[in-house]
């Protein structure tokens, strides 16, 4: 079984899972905060924030990758500062995670925002008249009620992160063992004559991961929804 | 004592209301859209009024002049909404204890007593989705009481319920009013509810307070009749159950003598509050003979008010108790009614609907 895929193939699969899990885990709290702000708060710059969040969805991924390189590259304005505290993103797996997180962010925020929109604000009002301070209203009422949406957003973002290619390859290149994720590996083996069989096996792995993520999300959200709304 | 003074304008509507709510149940009565809910939301802190001052027992909750506005979670005011607003992801028990968790601070929750008073013990492990409308509203009431409030707000808590469910909850509200020592501000557009529950009434019309006072005085005041609606005008009587007669009637003692009504399911000695609608009372100048109406009450005309449309509201004095009668001006003239004239007020026993009879503290 282990030699079904070449060592570079397995490496790419492991790296893709690591990159995507980190991308989702780190961006999830921010995703919830941004979704909540967009759904519930009115502030100057509301439209701008909304646009910024959705930008990766509509920009060519190469453009996003290039902008990341400009910003987070070693000579970029954020990259330079990060370099000063010993953090390097360009051409590292952490950079791949950043690219995946940014590309997946709009999908995550949209799913969570839909869930927040569906929460009746009158329930939150009722909680505040019962003496619950704002943060507790969020933790005890809003958060449990939007849990299925958070889950859906996280899984959707995970699937998107697994499949991210354009921004990743532009920002962190395609270094086996460092930044060569599953899609990059498929792309790489397709460049080599006779690589079709390995490519097909990698494609199969990609399909299995995506399907597993979808089934897991369906099952979990049904479970949570039953717990929340159920009798 | 709750003191409210508010001015709040939105396009097309201006609220300008000043009133006090003493101990007991104060009903804010008025049509839909008259501003009642806006007032209650301002008291709860869910709405920040443009101008105004709201204080409970000397604690200032809102004062636009001093820039004081306490957020809802720091007001200690319970709120029972029209739709129960129970938390769907929590059980009934968790819903009931939700407020206590934030406001308890070392106090023990009075869960057993409240659960017993509201009759919701068997519901504790259930989720709100599995409750009927009446059960939900009782749980919402319990949840508000258990948050240790110093004042309870209720915004038409019965409006979304059908008549049997209303009658299921009304006794609990009476008990709460009489035994919990908690002042209640109660929004309603139902005169029957106000007549049954209120100790004080504040009439609201188009954002303004048009009348306010003790319920018995206000409901039997001919001047307030147009505000309540003529069909809803009537006197409030205090009566005590004296005996349950063998033929199914209940005999009550009142300031003007015995009164017979269809069986009231409460023990002898119970103090009742009845609403006798003005349109159900007839006036006779001589004691009527051969008449089916059981209750013929000796009274004296106190005053008469033209109520428009050829009608008159006659205020009668029966042993110190006010009774209102609505008759035509033609009848008044034919009977030569005038203040001070002794008459007989005739009331059919069946005209007092059992659902409108309230129970008061003894």
């Amino acid at each position: 079984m282990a030699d079904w895929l070449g060592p570079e193939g397995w490496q790419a699969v492991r790296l893709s899972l690591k990159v995507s899990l980190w991308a989702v885990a780190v961006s999830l709290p921010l995703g919830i905060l941004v979704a909540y702000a967009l759904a519930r708060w009115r502030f100057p710059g509301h439209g701008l924030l909304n646009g910024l969040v959705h930008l990766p969805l509509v920009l060519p991924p190469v453009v996003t990758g290039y902008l990341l390189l400009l910003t987070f590259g070693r000579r970029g304005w954020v990259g330079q500062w990060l370099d000063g505290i010993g953090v390097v993103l360009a051409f590292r797996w952490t950079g791949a995670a950043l690219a995946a997180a940014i590309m997946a962010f709009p999908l995550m925020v949209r799913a969570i925002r839909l869930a927040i929109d569906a929460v009746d604000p009158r329930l939150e009002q009722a909680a505040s008249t019962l003496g619950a301070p704002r943060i507790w209203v969020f933790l005890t009422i809003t958060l449990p009620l939007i849990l299925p949406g958070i889950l859906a957003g996280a899984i959707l973002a995970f699937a998107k992160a697994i499949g991210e290619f354009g921004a990743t390859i532009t920002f962190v290149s395609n270094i086996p063992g460092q930044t060569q994720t599953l899609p990059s590996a498929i792309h790489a083996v397709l460049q080599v004559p006779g690589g079709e069989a390995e490519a097909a096996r990698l494609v199969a792995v990609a399909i299995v991961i995506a399907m597993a993520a979808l089934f897991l999300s369906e099952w979990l959200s049904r479970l949570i929804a039953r717990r929340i709304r159920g009798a | 004592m709750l003191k409210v003074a508010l001015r709040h304008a939105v396009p097309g509507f201006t609220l300008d209301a000043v009133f006090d709510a003493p101990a007991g149940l104060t009903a804010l009565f008025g049509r839909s859209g008259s501003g009642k809910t806006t007032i209650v939301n301002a008291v709860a802190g869910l709405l920040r009024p443009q101008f105004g001052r709201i204080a409970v027992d000397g604690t200032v909750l809102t004062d636009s002049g001093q820039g004081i506005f306490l957020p809802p979670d720091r007001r200690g005011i319970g709120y029972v909404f029209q739709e129960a607003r129970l938390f769907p992801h929590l059980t009934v028990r968790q819903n009931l204890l939700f407020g206590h968790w934030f406001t308890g601070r070392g106090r023990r929750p009075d869960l057993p007593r409240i659960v017993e008073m509201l009759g919701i013990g068997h519901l504790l492990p259930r989720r709100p989705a599995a409750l009927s409308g009446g059960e939900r509203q009782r749980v919402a009431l319990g949840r508000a009481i258990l948050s240790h409030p110093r004042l309870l707000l209720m915004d038409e808590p019965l409006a979304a319920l059908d008549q049997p469910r209303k009658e299921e909850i009304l006794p609990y509200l009476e008990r709460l009013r009489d035994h919990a020592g908690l002042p209640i501000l109660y929004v309603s557009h139902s005169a029957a509810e106000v007549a049954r529950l209120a100790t004080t009434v504040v009439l609201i019309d188009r954002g303004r307070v048009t009348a306010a006072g003790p319920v018995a005085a206000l409901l039997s005041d001919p001047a307030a009749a147009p505000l309540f609606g003529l069909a809803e005008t009537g006197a409030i009587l205090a009566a005590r159950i004296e005996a349950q007669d063998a033929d199914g009637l209940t005999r009550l003692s009142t300031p003007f003598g015995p009164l017979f009504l269809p069986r009231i399911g409460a023990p002898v000695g119970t103090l009742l509050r009845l609403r006798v609608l003005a349109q159900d009372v007839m006036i006779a100048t001589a004691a009527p003979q051969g008449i089916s109406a059981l209750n013929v009450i000796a009274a004296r005309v106190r005053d008469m008010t033209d109520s428009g449309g050829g009608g008159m509201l006659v205020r009668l004095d029966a042993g110190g108790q006010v009774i209102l009668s609505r008759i035509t001006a033609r009848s008044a003239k034919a009977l030569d009614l005038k203040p001070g004239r002794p008459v007989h007020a005739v009331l059919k026993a069946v005209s007092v609907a059992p659902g409108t009879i309230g129970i008061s503290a003894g």
Side-chain angles (χ1 to χ4, degrees):
Chain A
M1 182 65 198
D3 51 3
W4 180 67
L5 269 183
E8 287 204 352
W10 283 118
Q11 207 171 41
V13 171
R14 271 197 307 274
L15 183 71
S16 260
L17 290 173
K18 176 162 106 173
V19 161
S20 305
L21 283 173
W22 274 97
V24 171
V26 173
S27 61
L28 194 56
L30 187 67
I32 296 171
L33 180 72
V34 169
Y36 192 83
L38 288 177
R40 286 291 162 80
W41 297 339
R42 291 288 160 266
F43 51 90
H46 185 275
L48 187 69
L49 178 65
N50 193 37
L52 222 56
V53 164
H54 283 90
L55 209 52
L57 202 62
V58 289
L59 273 183
V62 181
V63 173
T64 306
Y66 184 61
L67 289 174
L68 281 173
L69 196 57
L70 286 183
T71 318
F72 290 94
R74 295 191 90 145
R75 295 179 184 281
W77 56 278
V78 181
Q80 252 174 2
W81 176 78
L82 284 173
D83 207 12
I85 58 168
V87 177
V88 180
L89 292 173
F91 309 112
R92 301 284 167 88
W93 75 268
T94 44
L98 176 68
I102 285 183
M103 292 302 291
F105 202 61
L107 296 174
M108 178 190 277
V109 169
R110 286 174 77 86
I112 299 172
R113 186 178 169 173
L114 276 179
I116 294 173
D117 283 339
V119 173
D120 189 347
R122 295 177 306 175
L123 290 179
E124 297 166 318
Q125 282 187 343
S128 71
T129 65
L130 290 165
R134 259 183 143 175
I135 178 73
W136 282 104
V137 173
F138 178 77
L139 291 175
T140 57
I141 305 299
T142 321
L143 197 59
L145 290 176
I146 63 170
L147 216 51
I150 292 178
L151 196 75
I155 303 249
L156 203 59
F158 178 78
K160 170 77 185 164
I162 286 273
E164 216 300 304
F165 176 68
T168 309
I169 205 162
T170 312
F171 180 34
V172 294
S173 185
N174 192 349
I175 309 163
Q178 269 296 336
T179 64
Q180 189 176 76
T181 57
L182 192 52
S184 309
I186 294 173
H187 175 73
V189 294
L190 280 177
Q191 308 301 308
V192 184
E196 285 85 358
E198 178 76 353
R201 287 192 286 271
L202 286 170
V203 166
V205 173
I207 291 174
V208 168
I209 293 176
M211 293 297 280
L214 278 179
F215 278 126
L216 183 71
S217 105
E218 277 293 311
W219 179 71
L220 276 176
S221 45
R222 238 179 293 142
L223 195 76
I224 295 175
R226 206 177 316 143
R227 269 191 57 103
I228 292 175
R229 304 271 171 200
Chain B
M1 166 83 97
L2 166 73
K3 287 175 163 294
V4 176
L6 288 174
R7 197 155 88 237
H8 190 78
V10 291
F13 181 78
T14 303
L15 180 70
D16 194 348
V18 180
F19 67 92
D20 290 349
L25 189 147
T26 302
L28 289 181
F29 180 86
R31 263 180 278 257
S32 304
S34 57
K36 309 180 299 285
T37 299
T38 310
I39 294 173
V40 174
N41 281 343
V43 174
L46 298 177
L47 172 106
R48 186 169 191 153
Q50 287 149 351
F51 303 97
R53 191 173 189 281
I54 299 169
V56 183
D57 299 330
T59 308
V60 178
L61 306 176
T62 297
D63 190 330
S64 58
Q66 293 183 57
I68 297 173
F69 182 79
L70 238 55
D73 54 288
R74 288 176 49 211
R75 294 197 169 206
I77 293 183
Y79 197 152
V80 181
F81 301 89
Q82 192 182 120
E83 353 68 56
R85 298 196 195 184
L86 299 180
F87 306 130
H89 57 302
L90 303 180
T91 62
V92 167
R93 174 192 292 275
Q94 289 167 328
N95 264 285
L96 286 169
L97 290 173
F98 185 88
H100 174 79
W101 206 62
F102 295 103
T103 57
R105 291 207 182 83
R107 280 178 279 189
R108 283 174 62 85
D110 209 355
L111 192 65
R113 193 177 66 86
I114 300 298
V115 161
E116 212 231 287
M117 186 186 102
L118 295 170
I120 50 179
H122 59 296
L123 305 176
L124 287 179
R126 293 209 211 152
R127 299 244 183 195
L131 307 185
S132 72
E135 289 169 337
R136 264 178 229 177
Q137 213 49 291
R138 277 186 282 160
V139 173
L141 188 56
R143 181 176 72 171
I145 299 167
L146 283 164
S147 71
H148 308 284
R150 52 182 154 194
L151 169 73
L152 201 55
L153 306 175
M154 297 194 199
D155 187 4
E156 311 224 19
L158 306 181
L161 305 177
D162 54 21
Q163 196 55 38
R165 295 288 89 68
K166 279 183 194 172
E167 280 167 31
E168 164 194 328
I169 293 186
L170 281 163
Y172 298 114
L173 296 179
E174 286 170 335
R175 270 190 248 174
L176 188 63
R177 173 197 65 200
D178 297 332
H179 300 297
L182 188 63
I184 301 171
L185 188 60
Y186 187 101
V187 167
S188 181
H189 68 248
S190 153
E193 256 171 65
V194 171
R196 180 158 168 186
L197 294 173
T199 33
T200 307
V201 180
V202 178
L203 286 176
I204 310 281
D205 188 32
R206 273 162 288 179
R208 283 164 191 281
V209 175
T210 46
V215 63
L218 203 67
L219 260 66
S220 62
D221 181 357
L227 305 168
F228 268 104
L230 272 177
E232 300 287 357
T233 299
I236 304 259
L237 310 187
R240 186 182 293 276
I241 298 183
E242 201 173 66
Q244 302 284 13
D245 289 352
D247 59 356
L249 293 186
T250 297
R251 185 213 303 256
L252 306 172
S253 75
T254 73
F256 48 78
L259 187 69
F260 295 94
L261 292 183
R263 172 80 79 214
I264 298 164
V268 169
T270 306
L271 203 62
L272 302 176
R273 176 205 277 223
L274 314 175
R275 181 165 70 135
V276 176
L277 291 177
Q279 62 188 14
D280 291 334
V281 177
M282 287 191 285
I283 294 178
T285 43
Q289 303 267 313
I291 185 172
S292 68
L294 276 177
N295 300 295
V296 178
I297 302 154
R300 196 172 285 275
V301 175
R302 188 191 279 184
D303 54 27
M304 296 150 67
T305 312
D306 187 346
S307 61
M312 295 234 112
L313 274 175
V314 182
R315 186 148 52 165
L316 306 172
D317 186 327
Q321 167 74 53
V322 171
I323 297 176
L324 271 187
S325 172
R326 190 170 143 219
I327 58 174
T328 59
R330 186 182 296 175
S331 302
K333 198 172 172 200
L335 293 177
D336 191 25
L337 294 183
K338 49 174 82 92
R341 169 147 199 196
V343 291
H344 299 272
V346 180
L347 173 69
K348 285 183 73 168
V350 294
S351 63
V352 179
T356 66
I357 298 173
I359 293 176
S360 339

